[in-house]
Amino acid sequence: MMDSMTKDTLIDSLAGKLNIQKKQAAEAVSHIFGEIAQALKRGEEVALSGFGSFKVGVRKARSGINPRTGAKIEIPERKVPKFRPAKGLKEAIL
């Protein structure tokens, strides 16, 4: 089974690397995530050099089938977050 990076492990890592309290690291991580979310909500693209970019895409309305009943349903258009990794991130995971 593969390990996964969680918000808590990211906070622990940041606190250790910067030699700051865990509470300060948690505030920093929450602030960064909040700023990214607010920028996307405003329709802005968020570009993090060497990591990638986040933007809001639109998933078109479409027809679907309810798996329980087999009835056709209409799925409305909706906004979805999209992430495009930077070249540096792609190369780092090879």
Side-chain angles (χ1 to χ4, degrees):
M1 184 172 148
M2 292 180 60
D3 290 332
S4 61
M5 170 71 74
T6 65
K7 187 175 179 181
D8 285 338
T9 56
L10 181 61
I11 289 167
D12 289 341
S13 176
L14 184 62
K17 293 229 189 233
L18 298 179
N19 197 24
I20 60 175
Q21 292 180 354
K22 193 173 176 181
K23 182 179 178 183
Q24 292 171 307
E27 289 172 358
V29 169
S30 291
H31 183 71
I32 290 168
F33 289 167
E35 287 296 315
I36 291 170
Q38 288 301 312
L40 293 173
K41 189 174 181 178
R42 291 188 301 266
E44 299 172 12
E45 183 172 334
V46 178
L48 305 173
S49 181
F51 185 73
S53 60
F54 298 90
K55 67 179 183 174
V56 177
V58 176
R59 187 174 290 160
K60 293 180 181 179
R62 63 193 192 281
S63 297
I65 297 176
N66 182 329
R68 287 189 180 169
T69 64
K72 285 191 173 189
I73 57 172
E74 290 301 314
I75 302 168
E77 179 177 278
R78 60 188 260 189
K79 294 179 181 178
V80 293
K82 293 187 175 189
F83 176 73
R84 186 176 60 239
K87 181 180 178 184
L89 179 59
K90 289 179 186 177
E91 291 173 353
I93 62 174
L94 292 178

